[in-house]
Amino acid sequence: MPVVVPTEAPGDERGALLAYLEAQRGAVRRALHGLTEEQARSRPSASELSVAGVLKHVTVGERGALRMMRGEPLDIRKQSKEWENSFLPGPEETIEFLLALSAEVARETEAAVRALPSLDVTFTAPRVPWDEGGERSWRWGLLHLIEETARHAGHADVIRESIDGKGAFDLVFETGAMPEPDWSVMG
């Protein structure tokens, strides 16, 4: 729980799911706060991941999922190549660029979800080596995006902490994403 997720309006399932997705995106974005370009691309932990690479990956993944959920034609081989390269930001993919792209994709996702008549609307997930594919609801798609983004937010936390010791709560308070709690209310 690095941030408190706003409570949705009664019956607003979309709002609840979108708020949780945004909370996880925010965790990845905050992991870049205050880093230099060199630090953002560094791979200080045992993995080959960088914080900038994690942000690029979750953004590319969300955009690909949104295309699939919208029923846009998919070229699985092309998308697989895009996915393989998604952890490696190119020279022109600066922190500023990646943050702007993340915000753009987030707006696209929210608009698409808000435009649906219901989260029961389905799309066809393609068969891929790790999944049989088939009919899925947009609800399932959003839950999957939350799951994937949360998983990678954890990666971003570990990488960031390996760079300069700043943990998720440090960054939450430093960026103003949430005020530091008043612990005196605990008695």
Side-chain angles (χ1 to χ4, degrees), residues 73-133:
L74 300 175
D75 178 340
I76 295 299
R77 291 196 191 287
K78 180 181 175 192
Q79 284 202 277
S80 291
K81 202 57 146 169
E82 184 180 46
W83 181 85
E84 286 173 23
N85 295 321
S86 68
F87 283 109
L88 301 170
E92 72 288 353
E93 294 174 315
T94 62
I95 294 170
E96 183 180 352
F97 173 88
L98 292 170
L99 289 170
L101 181 62
S102 173
E104 176 186 321
V105 171
R107 284 189 300 274
E108 289 175 20
T109 300
E110 176 144 359
V113 169
R114 295 283 184 197
L116 291 169
S118 164
L119 291 177
D120 294 328
V121 171
T122 61
F123 62 92
T124 303
R127 182 170 192 224
V128 288
W130 57 89
D131 186 69
E132 289 297 313

Side-chain angles (χ1 to χ4, degrees), residues 8-18 119-120 139 142-143:
E8 82 281 9
D12 182 14
E13 182 183 15
R14 291 170 220 240
L17 293 172
L18 288 167
L119 291 177
D120 294 328
R139 178 180 298 99
L142 281 172
L143 288 167

Side-chain angles (χ1 to χ4, degrees), residues 29-108:
R29 289 191 303 260
R30 277 189 301 279
L32 284 162
H33 176 74
L35 294 181
T36 65
E37 291 293 334
E38 183 180 342
Q39 288 172 316
R41 291 168 184 276
S42 69
R43 297 179 275 181
S45 66
S47 82
E48 288 293 314
L49 300 177
S50 70
V51 180
V54 170
L55 179 59
K56 179 180 176 181
H57 175 75
V58 296
T59 303
V60 166
E62 183 173 336
R63 181 166 268 166
L66 186 57
R67 288 176 179 151
M68 176 184 59
M69 292 160 68
R70 286 178 168 159
E72 294 176 17
L74 300 175
D75 178 340
I76 295 299
R77 291 196 191 287
K78 180 181 175 192
Q79 284 202 277
S80 291
K81 202 57 146 169
E82 184 180 46
W83 181 85
E84 286 173 23
N85 295 321
S86 68
F87 283 109
L88 301 170
E92 72 288 353
E93 294 174 315
T94 62
I95 294 170
E96 183 180 352
F97 173 88
L98 292 170
L99 289 170
L101 181 62
S102 173
E104 176 186 321
V105 171
R107 284 189 300 274
E108 289 175 20

Side-chain angles (χ1 to χ4, degrees), residues 1-21:
M1 186 244 33
V3 295
V4 175
V5 177
T7 303
E8 82 281 9
D12 182 14
E13 182 183 15
R14 291 170 220 240
L17 293 172
L18 288 167
Y20 271 92
L21 178 57

Side-chain angles (χ1 to χ4, degrees), residues 1 169 173 180-187:
M1 186 244 33
F169 280 110
F173 303 142
E180 195 151 352
D182 176 6
W183 296 106
S184 68
V185 300
M186 300 293 287

